[in-house]
Amino acid sequence: MVRWDGVNEFVAVAETESFTRASERLGVSTAQVSRQISALEARLATRLFYRTTRRVSTTDAGQLYYQHCRQVLDALEQAEQAVTHLQTVPQGKLRLTAPVTYGEQVIAPLVNDFVLRYPDLEVEMHLTNQQLDLVAEGYDLAVRLGQLESSSLMARRLGSRTLYVCASPAYLSAWGTPRSLAELDRHNCLQGNLRHWRFQEGGRPRTVRISGNLRCDSGRALLDAALKGVGVVQLPDYYVQPALDAGALVPLLTGYQDDDDGIWGVYPHNRHLSPKVRLLLDYVAETLSTAAA
């Protein structure tokens, strides 16, 4: 008879590349994880991990064993979902992460509505601008903005965001209105994390290096500076749209506006996409599509 002892511990270590993080994921001690792995290696008569002071990685045998174990766990999860009707009624824990401002303004209200619809669901939401390791830290889903970096994660486009260059009427009255990308050199451009802004010119992407007397990694702080006439800013629509609608900011260089960025839901590729994640992605995509119409 096939023994199950140590399989959950083995998969957790293989995915997190750490005995400590595996123990945190499973809610057991590091010593227990280590004992289970040692017993499993003894039973299989093979070494499953390379261990150093900095990291843990699977051997060739360990990688092969992981692939089979992962398939078995995924199949078991699907079986349990079928028995407990999770296909139609999401329940259990769902961990997700999203950027701070977009998460506060857009994602969190949608998640709150989703929890009201499915009260048996337990959601843990972490808002951060850092790109977390979803597998190592045990997240089911991340909402990410803009251009995705190449990775092993699966991605679904949920919506889009528009980047606007804009300034207050007071600033434009004092310093004039830029009509071309070259004229940005003569303006006080409020800087975020990057020293360049994105545009399109002649159907091709173009970046323009900008400079100014204010640099800050907070979009809200840059928005406040723009509203007070400090300078010109480039920010996504969810920061500036109310001010644009009210006339407090004026859109600039619209003929050079870059294509819209994607809003993405990303999740680990080696996990079965559970109904709770799929339904939340469906809900967010549908709501964003309706709001944009």
Side-chain angles (χ1 to χ4, degrees):
M1 182 176 180
V2 176
R3 295 176 59 183
W4 192 260
D5 299 348
V7 171
N8 285 323
E9 290 82 358
F10 166 75
V11 169
V13 173
E15 291 184 347
T16 62
E17 298 183 337
S18 165
F19 280 70
T20 301
R21 289 197 292 268
S23 69
E24 292 171 350
R25 176 192 288 192
L26 298 174
V28 299
S29 69
T30 304
Q32 180 176 337
V33 172
S34 181
R35 284 194 299 269
Q36 291 285 4
I37 296 298
S38 296
L40 181 62
E41 288 180 325
R43 188 169 81 239
L44 297 175
T46 188
R47 188 177 186 180
L48 298 175
F49 294 107
Y50 296 116
R51 301 167 175 84
T52 69
T53 56
R54 293 188 176 182
R55 63 171 299 190
V56 177
S57 59
T58 54
T59 63
D60 290 342
Q63 185 60 32
L64 179 63
Y65 191 60
Y66 167 75
Q67 292 171 0
H68 286 281
C69 289
R70 186 69 261 175
Q71 292 175 5
V72 171
L73 289 175
D74 288 343
L76 179 61
E77 182 182 355
Q78 292 178 48
E80 291 182 353
Q81 291 168 359
V83 171
T84 58
H85 304 290
L86 284 178
Q87 293 290 351
T88 54
V89 183
Q91 54 186 273
K93 191 169 186 177
L94 189 156
R95 300 187 73 221
L96 75 148
T97 179
V100 176
T101 300
Y102 191 75
E104 290 175 342
Q105 294 185 8
V106 180
I107 298 301
L110 296 182
V111 170
N112 294 340
D113 292 338
F114 192 73
V115 171
L116 283 174
R117 182 179 295 186
Y118 301 109
D120 291 333
L121 192 63
E122 178 187 350
V123 174
E124 180 182 328
M125 182 165 40
H126 182 41
L127 302 183
T128 176
N129 292 330
Q130 296 180 341
Q131 293 217 354
L132 304 179
D133 186 328
L134 303 190
V135 174
E137 302 191 43
Y139 283 93
D140 300 293
L141 174 67
V143 175
R144 292 182 176 167
L145 309 175
Q147 299 172 337
L148 293 180
E149 298 178 358
S150 177
S151 75
S152 61
L153 298 174
M154 301 296 290
R156 174 178 171 183
R157 190 177 179 114
L158 304 175
S160 60
R161 66 172 186 174
T162 303
L163 283 175
Y164 285 100
V165 175
C166 48
S168 70
Y171 174 87
L172 298 175
S173 176
W175 298 97
T177 301
R179 306 292 182 185
S180 68
L181 300 184
E183 292 181 32
L184 286 175
D185 281 343
R186 302 199 293 268
H187 287 271
N188 191 34
C189 297
L190 310 177
Q191 302 173 71
N193 289 322
L194 303 177
R195 295 184 180 273
H196 64 269
W197 287 351
R198 291 168 37 203
F199 297 95
Q200 281 221 4
E201 187 173 27
R204 296 183 178 181
R206 180 179 170 187
T207 59
V208 175
R209 189 172 179 85
I210 50 93
S211 61
N213 67 356
L214 179 62
R215 182 179 176 88
C216 182
D217 61 0
S218 165
R220 288 182 173 175
L222 295 177
L223 171 61
D224 181 72
L227 289 169
K228 292 176 177 177
V230 176
V232 182
V233 73
Q234 185 180 63
L235 285 171
D237 47 15
Y238 52 88
Y239 282 105
V240 300
Q241 195 64 60
L244 292 172
D245 293 341
L249 291 176
V250 178
L252 306 171
L253 302 170
T254 54
Y256 299 94
Q257 196 166 50
D258 196 12
D259 290 339
D260 287 354
D261 280 333
I263 299 168
W264 307 90
V266 300
Y267 50 91
H269 79 286
N270 59 352
R271 295 183 189 171
H272 173 69
L273 184 58
S274 64
K276 57 192 174 186
V277 175
R278 175 176 51 79
L279 286 173
L280 177 58
L281 289 173
D282 289 344
Y283 179 72
V284 172
E286 178 183 357
T287 306
L288 293 180
S289 175
T290 302

